[in-house]
Amino acid sequence: SATWNEANAMTGIAAVHSPAGMGAAPPQRSLTRGLWALLNPEETWLAFALMAVLFLTTVKVVEDARWGREMPGLTGMALGALLTGYLLARLRVPAILLHPVGVVIGALVILWQIVNAASGAEVGDKIVDAAVRLYSFVQVARSGEISTDGLPFAVQVLVLTWFVGYLSSWFLYRSHNAWLATVPSGVALMVNLSYLPGRFVFSFVI
């Protein structure tokens, strides 16, 4: 009997101290570690802040230049693009699965901005107005004529704003490449300033 009890005790001790007995980390602890890794990137939030200052400076120049009457606000959208790119870049999922998510989110935000920029009293009227004007622009472009409608230009600016912001965060936190994260914003800034001589000098300094 004593030998039998001692054998059971030794078996219990071995089970507790064995790797199988220890088991994996609790789900709650794994979730906490995942959130901590998500919110504490190797590049630090200072790098994100510097990138955001550059990108938002470029966006502010575009807004203040007033290139078109239908030009919507870009600041909120720019921040959303940066954060979306950051969050997707930090996920341990293949890029081929993440980029479609970024495209869909961007498309929804862009469509919402286009509808707000269109003319009309109700949402339905704005959707119809935007669809008709964009279709007309495509027909004019195919025929080689010139369009004076500002909405298609606003759409192009919205698309560029989203994807430059999204890819800037992606390149910084996924590819760990600061040049690819900042050069697109810098090029966009210089292109805008080249059409605005003598203005926004402080933006160039930043």
Short mmCIF file of all heavy atoms in Angstrom, two decimals, residues 111-157:
data_model
loop_
_atom_site.label_atom_id
_atom_site.label_comp_id
_atom_site.label_asym_id
_atom_site.label_seq_id
_atom_site.Cartn_x
_atom_site.Cartn_y
_atom_site.Cartn_z
N LEU A 111 -16.04 56.59 -51.01
CA LEU A 111 -17.42 56.71 -51.48
C LEU A 111 -18.22 57.62 -50.57
O LEU A 111 -19.03 58.44 -51.04
CB LEU A 111 -18.07 55.33 -51.56
CG LEU A 111 -17.59 54.43 -52.71
CD1 LEU A 111 -18.22 53.04 -52.59
CD2 LEU A 111 -17.93 55.05 -54.05
N TRP A 112 -18.02 57.49 -49.27
CA TRP A 112 -18.72 58.35 -48.32
C TRP A 112 -18.34 59.81 -48.52
O TRP A 112 -19.19 60.70 -48.50
CB TRP A 112 -18.38 57.90 -46.90
CG TRP A 112 -19.02 58.74 -45.84
CD1 TRP A 112 -20.34 58.82 -45.52
CD2 TRP A 112 -18.34 59.62 -44.94
NE1 TRP A 112 -20.54 59.70 -44.49
CE2 TRP A 112 -19.33 60.20 -44.11
CE3 TRP A 112 -17.01 59.97 -44.75
CZ2 TRP A 112 -19.01 61.12 -43.12
CZ3 TRP A 112 -16.68 60.88 -43.76
CH2 TRP A 112 -17.68 61.45 -42.95
N GLN A 113 -17.06 60.07 -48.76
CA GLN A 113 -16.60 61.43 -49.00
C GLN A 113 -17.14 61.98 -50.32
O GLN A 113 -17.50 63.16 -50.42
CB GLN A 113 -15.07 61.47 -49.03
CG GLN A 113 -14.42 61.22 -47.68
CD GLN A 113 -14.36 62.49 -46.84
OE1 GLN A 113 -15.38 63.10 -46.54
NE2 GLN A 113 -13.16 62.89 -46.47
N ILE A 114 -17.20 61.14 -51.35
CA ILE A 114 -17.72 61.58 -52.63
C ILE A 114 -19.18 61.97 -52.52
O ILE A 114 -19.62 63.01 -53.05
CB ILE A 114 -17.55 60.47 -53.69
CG1 ILE A 114 -16.07 60.23 -53.98
CG2 ILE A 114 -18.29 60.82 -54.98
CD1 ILE A 114 -15.82 59.04 -54.87
N VAL A 115 -19.96 61.15 -51.83
CA VAL A 115 -21.38 61.45 -51.65
C VAL A 115 -21.56 62.77 -50.90
O VAL A 115 -22.42 63.59 -51.25
CB VAL A 115 -22.08 60.29 -50.92
CG1 VAL A 115 -23.50 60.67 -50.53
CG2 VAL A 115 -22.09 59.04 -51.79
N ASN A 116 -20.76 63.00 -49.89
CA ASN A 116 -20.88 64.25 -49.13
C ASN A 116 -20.50 65.46 -49.99
O ASN A 116 -21.00 66.57 -49.78
CB ASN A 116 -19.99 64.20 -47.89
CG ASN A 116 -20.56 63.31 -46.81
OD1 ASN A 116 -21.76 63.10 -46.75
ND2 ASN A 116 -19.70 62.79 -45.96
N ALA A 117 -19.58 65.27 -50.94
CA ALA A 117 -19.14 66.39 -51.78
C ALA A 117 -20.10 66.67 -52.93
O ALA A 117 -20.06 67.76 -53.51
CB ALA A 117 -17.75 66.09 -52.34
N ALA A 118 -20.96 65.71 -53.26
CA ALA A 118 -21.89 65.90 -54.38
C ALA A 118 -23.01 66.84 -54.00
O ALA A 118 -23.21 67.19 -52.83
CB ALA A 118 -22.44 64.54 -54.82
N SER A 119 -23.77 67.25 -54.99
CA SER A 119 -24.88 68.18 -54.79
C SER A 119 -26.17 67.41 -54.57
O SER A 119 -26.37 66.34 -55.14
CB SER A 119 -25.02 69.12 -56.00
OG SER A 119 -23.81 69.84 -56.21
N GLY A 120 -27.05 67.99 -53.76
CA GLY A 120 -28.33 67.35 -53.50
C GLY A 120 -28.79 67.56 -52.08
O GLY A 120 -27.95 67.72 -51.17
N ALA A 121 -30.09 67.55 -51.88
CA ALA A 121 -30.65 67.76 -50.54
C ALA A 121 -30.64 66.48 -49.73
O ALA A 121 -30.43 66.50 -48.52
CB ALA A 121 -32.07 68.31 -50.65
N GLU A 122 -30.88 65.36 -50.36
CA GLU A 122 -30.93 64.07 -49.68
C GLU A 122 -29.75 63.20 -50.12
O GLU A 122 -29.11 63.47 -51.14
CB GLU A 122 -32.25 63.35 -49.99
CG GLU A 122 -33.49 64.14 -49.62
CD GLU A 122 -33.64 64.30 -48.11
OE1 GLU A 122 -33.07 63.46 -47.37
OE2 GLU A 122 -34.31 65.25 -47.67
N VAL A 123 -29.52 62.15 -49.35
CA VAL A 123 -28.42 61.24 -49.67
C VAL A 123 -28.62 60.60 -51.04
O VAL A 123 -27.67 60.48 -51.83
CB VAL A 123 -28.28 60.15 -48.58
CG1 VAL A 123 -27.21 59.14 -48.97
CG2 VAL A 123 -27.95 60.78 -47.24
N GLY A 124 -29.85 60.20 -51.32
CA GLY A 124 -30.14 59.59 -52.62
C GLY A 124 -29.83 60.54 -53.77
O GLY A 124 -29.29 60.14 -54.81
N ASP A 125 -30.21 61.82 -53.59
CA ASP A 125 -29.94 62.81 -54.63
C ASP A 125 -28.43 62.99 -54.83
O ASP A 125 -27.96 63.15 -55.97
CB ASP A 125 -30.57 64.15 -54.26
CG ASP A 125 -32.08 64.06 -54.15
OD1 ASP A 125 -32.66 63.18 -54.81
OD2 ASP A 125 -32.67 64.85 -53.39
N LYS A 126 -27.67 62.97 -53.74
CA LYS A 126 -26.21 63.13 -53.85
C LYS A 126 -25.58 61.94 -54.55
O LYS A 126 -24.64 62.10 -55.35
CB LYS A 126 -25.62 63.30 -52.46
CG LYS A 126 -25.98 64.61 -51.78
CD LYS A 126 -25.25 64.76 -50.46
CE LYS A 126 -25.55 66.12 -49.84
NZ LYS A 126 -24.80 66.33 -48.57
N ILE A 127 -26.08 60.74 -54.27
CA ILE A 127 -25.55 59.55 -54.93
C ILE A 127 -25.79 59.62 -56.44
O ILE A 127 -24.89 59.34 -57.25
CB ILE A 127 -26.18 58.27 -54.33
CG1 ILE A 127 -25.74 58.10 -52.87
CG2 ILE A 127 -25.81 57.05 -55.16
CD1 ILE A 127 -26.40 56.94 -52.17
N VAL A 128 -27.01 60.01 -56.82
CA VAL A 128 -27.33 60.13 -58.25
C VAL A 128 -26.47 61.20 -58.90
O VAL A 128 -25.93 61.00 -60.00
CB VAL A 128 -28.83 60.44 -58.43
CG1 VAL A 128 -29.13 60.75 -59.89
CG2 VAL A 128 -29.68 59.27 -57.95
N ASP A 129 -26.32 62.33 -58.23
CA ASP A 129 -25.52 63.43 -58.79
C ASP A 129 -24.07 62.99 -58.99
O ASP A 129 -23.48 63.25 -60.05
CB ASP A 129 -25.58 64.63 -57.85
CG ASP A 129 -24.72 65.78 -58.34
OD1 ASP A 129 -25.09 66.43 -59.33
OD2 ASP A 129 -23.66 66.04 -57.72
N ALA A 130 -23.51 62.32 -57.99
CA ALA A 130 -22.11 61.86 -58.10
C ALA A 130 -21.96 60.85 -59.22
O ALA A 130 -21.00 60.92 -60.01
CB ALA A 130 -21.66 61.26 -56.77
N ALA A 131 -22.90 59.91 -59.33
CA ALA A 131 -22.82 58.89 -60.37
C ALA A 131 -22.91 59.50 -61.76
O ALA A 131 -22.14 59.15 -62.67
CB ALA A 131 -23.93 57.85 -60.17
N VAL A 132 -23.83 60.44 -61.94
CA VAL A 132 -24.01 61.07 -63.26
C VAL A 132 -22.77 61.88 -63.64
O VAL A 132 -22.29 61.82 -64.78
CB VAL A 132 -25.26 61.97 -63.24
CG1 VAL A 132 -25.33 62.82 -64.50
CG2 VAL A 132 -26.51 61.12 -63.11
N ARG A 133 -22.22 62.62 -62.70
CA ARG A 133 -21.07 63.48 -63.00
C ARG A 133 -19.81 62.65 -63.28
O ARG A 133 -19.03 62.99 -64.18
CB ARG A 133 -20.84 64.45 -61.85
CG ARG A 133 -21.95 65.47 -61.72
CD ARG A 133 -21.89 66.23 -60.41
NE ARG A 133 -20.71 67.07 -60.33
CZ ARG A 133 -20.45 67.84 -59.25
NH1 ARG A 133 -21.28 67.84 -58.22
NH2 ARG A 133 -19.36 68.58 -59.25
N LEU A 134 -19.63 61.58 -62.55
CA LEU A 134 -18.47 60.73 -62.81
C LEU A 134 -18.61 59.99 -64.13
O LEU A 134 -17.62 59.81 -64.86
CB LEU A 134 -18.27 59.75 -61.66
CG LEU A 134 -17.86 60.37 -60.31
CD1 LEU A 134 -17.78 59.30 -59.23
CD2 LEU A 134 -16.53 61.10 -60.44
N TYR A 135 -19.81 59.56 -64.45
CA TYR A 135 -20.04 58.90 -65.74
C TYR A 135 -19.79 59.88 -66.88
O TYR A 135 -19.16 59.53 -67.90
CB TYR A 135 -21.46 58.36 -65.80
CG TYR A 135 -21.80 57.73 -67.14
CD1 TYR A 135 -21.36 56.45 -67.44
CD2 TYR A 135 -22.56 58.44 -68.08
CE1 TYR A 135 -21.67 55.88 -68.68
CE2 TYR A 135 -22.87 57.87 -69.31
CZ TYR A 135 -22.41 56.59 -69.60
OH TYR A 135 -22.71 56.02 -70.82
N SER A 136 -20.25 61.12 -66.71
CA SER A 136 -20.04 62.13 -67.74
C SER A 136 -18.55 62.42 -67.92
O SER A 136 -18.08 62.61 -69.05
CB SER A 136 -20.78 63.42 -67.37
OG SER A 136 -22.17 63.19 -67.28
N PHE A 137 -17.82 62.41 -66.81
CA PHE A 137 -16.37 62.66 -66.90
C PHE A 137 -15.68 61.54 -67.69
O PHE A 137 -14.79 61.80 -68.50
CB PHE A 137 -15.79 62.75 -65.50
CG PHE A 137 -14.29 62.79 -65.49
CD1 PHE A 137 -13.61 63.95 -65.81
CD2 PHE A 137 -13.55 61.66 -65.17
CE1 PHE A 137 -12.22 63.99 -65.82
CE2 PHE A 137 -12.16 61.69 -65.16
CZ PHE A 137 -11.50 62.86 -65.50
N VAL A 138 -16.09 60.31 -67.45
CA VAL A 138 -15.50 59.19 -68.18
C VAL A 138 -15.77 59.33 -69.67
O VAL A 138 -14.88 59.10 -70.51
CB VAL A 138 -16.05 57.85 -67.65
CG1 VAL A 138 -15.59 56.70 -68.53
CG2 VAL A 138 -15.60 57.63 -66.21
N GLN A 139 -16.98 59.72 -70.03
CA GLN A 139 -17.31 59.89 -71.45
C GLN A 139 -16.51 61.01 -72.08
O GLN A 139 -16.03 60.89 -73.21
CB GLN A 139 -18.82 60.16 -71.59
CG GLN A 139 -19.71 59.03 -71.12
CD GLN A 139 -19.41 57.73 -71.85
OE1 GLN A 139 -19.29 57.69 -73.07
NE2 GLN A 139 -19.31 56.64 -71.09
N VAL A 140 -16.34 62.11 -71.34
CA VAL A 140 -15.55 63.23 -71.85
C VAL A 140 -14.09 62.83 -72.03
O VAL A 140 -13.45 63.16 -73.02
CB VAL A 140 -15.67 64.44 -70.91
CG1 VAL A 140 -14.66 65.52 -71.28
CG2 VAL A 140 -17.08 65.01 -70.94
N ALA A 141 -13.57 62.08 -71.05
CA ALA A 141 -12.17 61.64 -71.13
C ALA A 141 -11.96 60.69 -72.30
O ALA A 141 -10.92 60.76 -72.98
CB ALA A 141 -11.78 60.96 -69.82
N ARG A 142 -12.91 59.83 -72.56
CA ARG A 142 -12.78 58.88 -73.67
C ARG A 142 -12.83 59.58 -75.02
O ARG A 142 -12.21 59.13 -75.98
CB ARG A 142 -13.89 57.84 -73.59
CG ARG A 142 -13.77 56.90 -72.39
CD ARG A 142 -14.90 55.89 -72.35
NE ARG A 142 -14.92 55.04 -73.52
CZ ARG A 142 -15.83 54.11 -73.77
NH1 ARG A 142 -16.81 53.90 -72.88
NH2 ARG A 142 -15.77 53.36 -74.85
N SER A 143 -13.53 60.69 -75.08
CA SER A 143 -13.64 61.43 -76.34
C SER A 143 -12.50 62.42 -76.53
O SER A 143 -12.41 63.06 -77.59
CB SER A 143 -14.98 62.17 -76.40
OG SER A 143 -15.05 63.14 -75.35
N GLY A 144 -11.65 62.56 -75.51
CA GLY A 144 -10.51 63.45 -75.63
C GLY A 144 -10.83 64.91 -75.38
O GLY A 144 -10.00 65.79 -75.66
N GLU A 145 -12.01 65.21 -74.86
CA GLU A 145 -12.40 66.59 -74.60
C GLU A 145 -11.95 66.99 -73.19
O GLU A 145 -11.32 66.21 -72.47
CB GLU A 145 -13.91 66.74 -74.78
CG GLU A 145 -14.38 66.41 -76.19
CD GLU A 145 -15.89 66.52 -76.32
OE1 GLU A 145 -16.53 66.91 -75.33
OE2 GLU A 145 -16.41 66.22 -77.41
N ILE A 146 -12.29 68.21 -72.83
CA ILE A 146 -11.88 68.76 -71.52
C ILE A 146 -13.09 68.88 -70.61
O ILE A 146 -14.14 69.37 -71.02
CB ILE A 146 -11.22 70.14 -71.70
CG1 ILE A 146 -9.95 70.01 -72.54
CG2 ILE A 146 -10.89 70.76 -70.35
CD1 ILE A 146 -9.30 71.33 -72.85
N SER A 147 -12.92 68.45 -69.37
CA SER A 147 -13.98 68.55 -68.37
C SER A 147 -13.62 69.64 -67.36
O SER A 147 -12.49 69.73 -66.91
CB SER A 147 -14.17 67.22 -67.65
OG SER A 147 -15.08 67.37 -66.58
N THR A 148 -14.60 70.44 -67.01
CA THR A 148 -14.41 71.50 -66.00
C THR A 148 -15.06 71.14 -64.67
O THR A 148 -15.10 71.96 -63.76
CB THR A 148 -14.99 72.82 -66.51
OG1 THR A 148 -16.38 72.65 -66.80
CG2 THR A 148 -14.26 73.28 -67.77
N ASP A 149 -15.57 69.91 -64.57
CA ASP A 149 -16.21 69.47 -63.34
C ASP A 149 -15.14 69.19 -62.29
O ASP A 149 -14.17 68.46 -62.55
CB ASP A 149 -17.04 68.21 -63.60
CG ASP A 149 -17.94 67.86 -62.43
OD1 ASP A 149 -17.79 68.46 -61.34
OD2 ASP A 149 -18.80 66.97 -62.60
N GLY A 150 -15.30 69.74 -61.08
CA GLY A 150 -14.30 69.55 -60.03
C GLY A 150 -14.43 68.26 -59.25
O GLY A 150 -13.49 67.87 -58.54
N LEU A 151 -15.57 67.57 -59.37
CA LEU A 151 -15.77 66.35 -58.59
C LEU A 151 -14.80 65.24 -58.98
O LEU A 151 -14.23 64.59 -58.09
CB LEU A 151 -17.21 65.87 -58.72
CG LEU A 151 -17.58 64.66 -57.84
CD1 LEU A 151 -17.43 65.00 -56.37
CD2 LEU A 151 -19.00 64.19 -58.14
N PRO A 152 -14.56 64.96 -60.26
CA PRO A 152 -13.59 63.91 -60.60
C PRO A 152 -12.20 64.20 -60.05
O PRO A 152 -11.49 63.27 -59.62
CB PRO A 152 -13.60 63.93 -62.13
CG PRO A 152 -14.94 64.44 -62.50
CD PRO A 152 -15.25 65.47 -61.46
N PHE A 153 -11.78 65.46 -60.06
CA PHE A 153 -10.48 65.79 -59.48
C PHE A 153 -10.47 65.52 -57.99
O PHE A 153 -9.48 65.01 -57.43
CB PHE A 153 -10.15 67.26 -59.75
CG PHE A 153 -8.87 67.71 -59.12
CD1 PHE A 153 -7.65 67.34 -59.66
CD2 PHE A 153 -8.89 68.49 -57.97
CE1 PHE A 153 -6.46 67.74 -59.07
CE2 PHE A 153 -7.70 68.90 -57.38
CZ PHE A 153 -6.49 68.53 -57.93
N ALA A 154 -11.58 65.85 -57.31
CA ALA A 154 -11.67 65.58 -55.87
C ALA A 154 -11.57 64.09 -55.60
O ALA A 154 -10.95 63.66 -54.61
CB ALA A 154 -12.99 66.14 -55.32
N VAL A 155 -12.17 63.28 -56.47
CA VAL A 155 -12.09 61.82 -56.32
C VAL A 155 -10.64 61.35 -56.42
O VAL A 155 -10.18 60.51 -55.63
CB VAL A 155 -12.96 61.12 -57.37
CG1 VAL A 155 -12.74 59.61 -57.32
CG2 VAL A 155 -14.43 61.44 -57.14
N GLN A 156 -9.90 61.89 -57.37
CA GLN A 156 -8.50 61.52 -57.52
C GLN A 156 -7.69 61.89 -56.28
O GLN A 156 -6.85 61.11 -55.81
CB GLN A 156 -7.91 62.20 -58.75
CG GLN A 156 -8.57 61.77 -60.06
CD GLN A 156 -8.04 62.55 -61.24
OE1 GLN A 156 -6.83 62.65 -61.44
NE2 GLN A 156 -8.94 63.12 -62.04
N VAL A 157 -7.96 63.06 -55.73
CA VAL A 157 -7.25 63.49 -54.53
C VAL A 157 -7.59 62.58 -53.35
O VAL A 157 -6.72 62.22 -52.56
CB VAL A 157 -7.59 64.96 -54.20
CG1 VAL A 157 -6.98 65.36 -52.85
CG2 VAL A 157 -7.07 65.88 -55.28
#
